[in-house]
Structures are given as structure tokens and as C-alpha cells.
Amino acid sequence: MASFFDESRVDSDDALAALDSHQTLRGLATSGAQVREAVSLAEEAGIERVAGGERPRSVLVASLGGSAVVCDVLELLAEPGSPVPVSVRRNVPLPGWVGPLDLVVAVSLSGRAPGPLALAAEAARRGAALLTVGAVESPLAEVTARARGVHIGIGRGRTTSRTALWSLLAPVLLGVGHLGLVDVDARVLAQTADRLDELAETCRPSSESFVNPAKVLAADLAEGVPVVLGDGPLNGVAAGRAASMLARTARVPATSGELPDDAAQIVACFDGPFTAAYSGGQPSPAGARSTDDIFADPFLDGPAAPRLSLLMLRDVLPDPMTREADEARHLAEAVTTAAREAGVRVSEVTAQAGHPLTRLAGQMATTDYAATYLALGLGLDPAVSPHVADLRDRAGG
């Protein structure tokens, strides 16, 4: 796959303009502005009225597709200290236990996604409190208005959930933060917006390939079939987002996992046919160092098989160091060492210090830019997939 990646494309203003028909890079660069606008829109919509200002018995959040990461982030941030359970439902039916004492959060950029819309409508019928985020003039907004819930618009110019993530996520976090379910307020969101602005500057198109971390990562990912691994829960969410963006934006099949649970299944792949350690059904012993055949002739021997690559997302080390963080560090290093010994290309992205949301935002932004540059370097429009359009036509929209 590497032979198809052309670094000159990602450094050319003309090439980027020709390929990026929906200005995906520009959309990603507005992430910080999205956070600030979302806070303003949420306050104008009366975010303090969510659930009547009272702590609900439980929270259920629904989002699909490119918006699904909203569920993942809310679960991540609520798990350590939320006094009430937070659960996720991607689609109908609404669980039978949801009733007037509960809060249902439904997210859809268009306000028309069947799953979140149906869940919100059923929650309203049962008398549950509603917090919804999406287009202002939409069925989702109408359902919420009838239920006297809180609906927050997504602002203008938001055309895809992949580049409008923070218009969807920030209001949800602000709402549940008001209820004391997550440690997120306007101050944390302002810090997150600043971090996103920093990444937009660092990963800007005019920054050349040899100094732009997202372009460097894109070129690395072009060398193989990526597995994205997070070193813990926070980077597990970032890994899931990265795998989704690589597949949907760059059209590169990618899987994701989280340490420690997924260590064994990832390392087992280092024995397989997509690594240099594989030898025709006779895998090399564990720890054996393998290299490519420098004398291989692609014309006589055929093209080289796709190779596995590992993208390891790592968190900043706490100060002072904790036992859990030290164990996570050792496990991550063991996995990357095993990968390199098996001939797997390894890339690493390490978070910067800050609030968990701010660290997560930086990790997701870096891989979002990388996936977009990978698409552009491969000569693909990151926003338009003919096969996805064809699937929609075949499935009736």
C-alpha cells in the first residue's frame, strides 16, 4: 500500500483543494471553535434545565455512526465517579426500566437518525427527561420540544458527524456535568478547545510532511494494515475513534483494542501471515527477530503481502507515578517490543498532560488529521466514498 501514498499530495495546496471536496481538513480545524460555540448554544438553550436540574436515577445515551463516540466518551468520563449508572443504547428498543426518573440523551447531527429519534420519542412517551443534540429544525428537535426537554442545535456549516464531533459532544458533557455526573464544566471545555486549536496549528496543511506529526503518522500508517491499541480506557476510546476514521475516511481496514484486556489477541497476530515472523505455516519462535528479504524481486516473486502495523496510543505518565500506571507502561512496552521483533512497524502517539477530556481530545485530533492526510496521500476524497453512496442507494437511503 505504501507505493500508492504520495507525500507530495499532502504538501500541495492544489492537490489538497482538488481532492478535499468537502474541506474535511478545514472542518477538523474548527474543532476548538465548535467547543466554544457549543457552550454558548447550550447556555442559550437552558442547559441548566436538563432533568429539571435534579439528578436523575440513571442516564441512557444514544448515538450512532460517526456520532457513536459521544457514547464512548460519556461512559469513559462517568465511570470513575458518577453517582448514577450511565448506559449506552445504539438503537431501539428502549430498555423497559427507563421511566420518569431517568434522563435519555439522544444525539444525531441531522436530527433524523432512526435509532436516536425512536429512542427519544419512546422516552418522551414514558415521561423521561430528554437532552438532545442535532439540527434545530428536525424531528428530534420537535420530539424534545413536545416533551419539554432541552434541545441544543449544532450550529451552521456542520455537514458530517466525523468533522462536527465537538458540536455534538460538548453540549452533552456540559449537560451531564451540570448534574454532577462527570467532572466537566465550561472551564474544562475551554481548556479542551485550546488544546484542539494547538493541534489545528501543528497539523495544518501548510506544515510540511517532515515536521507535521499527522502527516508523518499518515505516511507510517500507509506502510501496512493498522491495528490501533490504547494503553488504557482513555486511549481505548481514542483507538476506537482512530480505527473508525481510518476505515471511513482513509478506506483502510483497521481494528482497535485496549490494554490490558486485548493484549493477548493483538500479540497473537504477530505470529500470523501479515508479519515478517511468519514462515509458511511454521511460525518463528517467540522473540525471534525477523527481517524482510532484501533480495526479493517484486516482478519475479510477486508483490509483497500486506504487513501489519501497530499504532500505540499512550497516556501521559502521572506524577507521582502510580502502581497502575507503571503496570500499564510496562505492558505497553512489552507489546511494542514484541511487535518490533516480529517485523511489525510501530508508531506511537503520547498524550499531553491535562484533564482527561483534554488529553483525549488531543489524541483523537491527531489521529483524525492523520486519517485525513492518509486519504489525501492515497489520492482519495476523505468525505466521499462511491461505495457508501451506492450502498445507501441499494438500501433505499
Side-chain angles (χ1 to χ4, degrees), residues 106-154:
V107 177
S108 166
L109 187 73
S110 66
R112 300 176 184 276
L117 180 58
L119 287 167
E122 177 60 17
R125 189 187 69 80
R126 297 187 197 175
L130 276 183
L131 169 61
T132 58
V133 182
V136 173
E137 296 181 358
S138 67
L140 186 62
E142 293 173 6
V143 166
T144 307
R146 288 196 299 268
R148 298 184 179 179
V150 177
H151 180 81
I152 301 165
I154 43 87

Side-chain angles (χ1 to χ4, degrees), residues 68-112:
V69 69
V70 174
C71 293
D72 301 330
V73 175
L74 184 53
E75 272 194 310
L76 170 76
L77 297 179
E79 186 175 13
S82 174
V84 304
V86 175
S87 58
V88 168
R89 192 77 175 189
R90 308 289 186 187
N91 216 321
V92 290
L94 187 70
W97 50 261
V98 174
L101 299 179
D102 305 302
L103 170 66
V104 171
V105 179
V107 177
S108 166
L109 187 73
S110 66
R112 300 176 184 276

Side-chain angles (χ1 to χ4, degrees), residues 69-367:
V69 69
V70 174
C71 293
D72 301 330
V73 175
L74 184 53
E75 272 194 310
L76 170 76
L77 297 179
E79 186 175 13
S82 174
V84 304
V86 175
S87 58
V88 168
R89 192 77 175 189
R90 308 289 186 187
N91 216 321
V92 290
L94 187 70
W97 50 261
V98 174
L101 299 179
D102 305 302
L103 170 66
V104 171
V105 179
V107 177
S108 166
L109 187 73
S110 66
R112 300 176 184 276
L117 180 58
L119 287 167
E122 177 60 17
R125 189 187 69 80
R126 297 187 197 175
L130 276 183
L131 169 61
T132 58
V133 182
V136 173
E137 296 181 358
S138 67
L140 186 62
E142 293 173 6
V143 166
T144 307
R146 288 196 299 268
R148 298 184 179 179
V150 177
H151 180 81
I152 301 165
I154 43 87
R156 293 176 294 179
R158 310 295 182 233
T159 57
T160 169
S161 55
R162 280 178 284 151
T163 57
L165 168 63
W166 292 96
S167 291
L168 301 171
L169 177 58
V172 173
L173 295 177
L174 192 61
V176 296
H178 270 296
L179 297 173
L181 309 186
V182 298
D183 177 25
V184 175
D185 55 18
R187 178 186 58 83
V188 170
L189 287 170
Q191 294 171 354
T192 301
D194 291 343
R195 178 67 53 85
L196 290 167
D197 285 346
E198 292 169 7
L199 265 295
E201 173 67 18
T202 302
C203 301
R204 68 191 186 280
S206 61
S207 175
E208 296 183 334
S209 293
F210 58 90
V211 294
N212 186 319
K215 291 182 181 180
V216 170
L217 181 56
D220 286 347
L221 293 172
E223 297 287 339
V225 179
V227 172
V228 190
L229 192 58
D231 67 353
L234 185 145
N235 277 309
V237 171
R241 166 74 174 186
S244 175
M245 287 291 286
L246 286 168
R248 186 68 177 83
T249 301
R251 273 74 113 193
V252 172
T255 58
S256 64
E258 175 187 319
L259 295 179
D261 292 354
D262 297 320
Q265 71 183 43
I266 297 301
V267 171
C269 295
F270 300 163
D271 299 329
F274 297 112
T275 67
Y278 183 74
S279 55
Q282 298 296 323
S284 302
R289 187 177 297 275
S290 301
T291 57
D292 293 327
D293 182 1
I294 62 173
F295 299 107
D297 187 325
F299 295 100
L300 297 177
D301 302 323
R307 283 290 172 83
L308 199 67
S309 64
L310 175 65
L311 171 56
M312 177 66 77
L313 303 181
R314 304 188 66 168
D315 207 353
V316 65
L317 295 176
D319 184 18
M321 176 70 80
T322 64
R323 180 177 60 83
E324 293 80 5
D326 193 45
E327 290 174 352
R329 177 177 64 86
H330 281 296
L331 181 57
E333 290 174 356
V335 171
T336 56
T337 298
R340 291 188 175 99
E341 289 179 349
V344 174
R345 188 182 187 95
V346 177
S347 304
E348 297 187 64
V349 177
T350 301
Q352 299 179 49
H355 185 278
L357 179 63
T358 306
R359 304 202 308 271
L360 177 63
Q363 296 294 80
M364 292 196 298
T366 300
T367 53

Side-chain angles (χ1 to χ4, degrees), residues 377-395:
L378 293 172
L380 300 170
D381 186 329
V384 179
S385 167
H387 285 88
V388 171
D390 182 61
L391 176 63
R392 287 173 179 159
D393 291 340
R394 292 173 185 269

